Amino acid sequence: MKAFYAEEQKRHDPKAFLSSGAPQPNPEKPERIERLLAGARSAGLTIERPGNHGLGPIAAVHTPEYLDFLEHIFARWQRIEGASAEVIPNIHPIARNGSYPASAVGQAGYHMADTACPISAETWNSALWSAWSAVEAADAVMAGAPSAYALCRPPGHHAFADVAGGFCFINNSAVAAQVLRRQATRVVILDVDLHHGNGTQGIFYTRPDVLTVSLHADPVRFYPFFWGHADERGEGPGLGYNLNLPLPRKSADAAFLDTLTTAFQRIRAFAPEALVVALGLDAFEGDPFGGLSVTTPGFSRIGEAIAGLGLPTVIVQEGGYLCDALGDNLTAFLTGFGGKQG
Ligand SMILES: [Zn+2]
């Protein structure tokens, strides 16, 4: 299986993060890349550099004003006297029915959901290359590869069409799905990250051509709180094309695999022609977020089960934070997936 990644993705290095109001080091560190690269190589993957695909495939799922914001906000922020070194919002519209603000502070609040996605000088460039890794993987699958892996970092599944959040800026899984739609009539995104893929859900919520399915820790007491509940099923023509499968905290392999079976029933009924796996590895029992208790062999079985769908598959890296087994968990998933896929 081919894997895609560009060195520029390492330059985004967020410092700040508020957890329950307390300043903490941001866990979405560039070092994640080293661990994930090692994990991909251990699974026998060859790493290639993606091409520059321009804004086209990104603008297909994000709004022009949001992309303009991401590109220019850091330079604008630097001109504010006394502003923080990284762009971090401190005011948000409580509903999105007000005016679009002209100021950098107002736009930061409008386009950033939380304090976990600080923007620095390198953020835009890293996010672009992360998205292009996803585009390149989708292109490889459309060209006939049975599967491809995109080492996307920064991750993407908390990014809505016009809002960053939870370490995410450009929604790489959504970008990949939209690229696959050039050939496939129906595409499914299966999100196995610890956290609900709220941005992905939001982007496709009214569409019946991209089925979004997410397994995650129950958001009743877990990020992203406002989304990820079982009663969110889509809207308008998209009604019935979003499936949320929240799991009780600390659920382990058996519960995860069992719930995956429920996901597969819906996916098979949808009869998709291509699959995007939003692969978070933070459901791991030893992940610093500690929400679920999937084991390393569990990731292998999850990979094997997903390969059993027999679909052309783009695997997009989402979460998974620094712990000793991060690389091993990726190796386990990819080995399980590849073994079953043959
Ligand atoms: Zn996550």
Side-chain angles (χ1 to χ4, degrees):
M1 190 191 304
K2 282 184 181 175
F4 297 98
Y5 158 73
E7 283 295 310
E8 287 86 343
Q9 293 173 230
K10 222 180 266 180
R11 294 187 191 154
H12 167 65
D13 188 6
K15 307 296 184 204
F17 176 53
L18 286 181
S19 182
S20 305
Q24 302 282 352
N26 193 299
E28 207 286 281
K29 295 184 191 309
E31 190 188 340
R32 295 180 61 236
I33 286 175
E34 305 303 336
R35 310 284 187 94
L36 294 166
L37 279 174
R41 289 195 178 104
S42 291
L45 275 63
T46 53
I47 318 289
E48 294 180 24
R49 183 180 167 78
N52 175 335
H53 291 270
L55 281 184
I58 297 167
V61 297
H62 289 288
T63 66
E65 70 189 11
Y66 175 61
L67 295 178
D68 188 69
F69 165 83
L70 285 182
E71 183 173 2
H72 300 293
I73 188 61
F74 180 73
R76 294 169 60 203
W77 198 260
Q78 298 317 296
R79 294 196 288 269
I80 304 171
E81 201 181 330
S84 53
E86 299 177 301
V87 181
I88 299 171
N90 54 267
I91 181 166
H92 303 275
I94 55 161
R96 293 175 69 80
N97 55 1
S99 298
Y100 185 68
S103 83
V105 171
Q107 287 181 10
Y110 189 88
H111 288 300
M112 299 167 86
D114 50 48
T115 58
C117 48
I119 294 173
S120 61
E122 300 289 350
T123 301
W124 170 243
N125 199 37
S126 288
L128 280 178
W129 284 99
S130 185
W132 291 333
S133 289
V135 173
E136 198 83 27
D139 279 349
V141 167
M142 288 199 301
S147 59
Y149 170 68
L151 201 175
C152 292
R153 185 275 166 183
H157 73 150
H158 296 307
F160 286 75
D162 64 351
V163 181
F167 317 137
C168 301
F169 305 92
I170 297 173
N171 193 313
N172 308 303
S173 292
V175 168
Q178 191 63 38
V179 169
L180 290 170
R181 276 284 288 107
R182 293 174 193 164
Q183 276 185 11
T185 312
R186 288 175 306 281
V187 175
V188 57
I189 302 175
L190 173 60
D191 190 320
V192 297
D193 189 279
L194 164 65
H195 304 95
H196 174 242
N198 54 335
T200 315
Q201 168 175 306
I203 287 170
F204 297 109
Y205 207 56
T206 59
R207 288 173 50 173
D209 57 325
V210 178
L211 172 68
T212 44
V213 180
S214 183
L215 280 72
H216 47 265
D218 194 327
V220 70
R221 291 183 184 279
F222 206 69
Y223 188 92
F225 302 104
F226 314 109
W227 302 277
H229 304 272
D231 61 355
E232 297 155 25
R233 299 182 55 243
E235 220 170 74
L239 184 62
Y241 295 89
N242 184 76
L243 177 62
N244 286 332
L245 298 164
L247 291 151
R249 288 285 284 276
K250 302 290 178 190
S251 291
D253 296 352
F256 202 98
L257 286 157
D258 194 45
T259 307
L260 211 45
T261 308
T262 308
F264 292 167
Q265 285 167 4
R266 178 68 189 97
I267 291 171
R268 289 202 176 93
F270 178 64
E273 292 157 17
L275 164 69
V276 174
V277 180
L279 178 63
L281 298 165
D282 43 5
F284 178 53
E285 58 181 349
D287 188 271
F289 281 98
L292 293 174
S293 301
V294 173
T295 66
T296 300
F299 282 112
S300 181
R301 292 173 66 195
I302 291 167
E304 191 180 329
I306 293 173
L309 287 169
L311 290 165
T313 301
V314 178
I315 300 165
V316 174
Q317 187 65 48
E318 297 287 357
Y321 300 91
L322 291 180
C323 56
D324 288 344
L326 179 57
D328 294 341
N329 290 339
L330 179 59
T331 306
F333 179 90
L334 292 169
T335 305
F337 185 90
K340 181 73 177 187
Q341 194 179 49

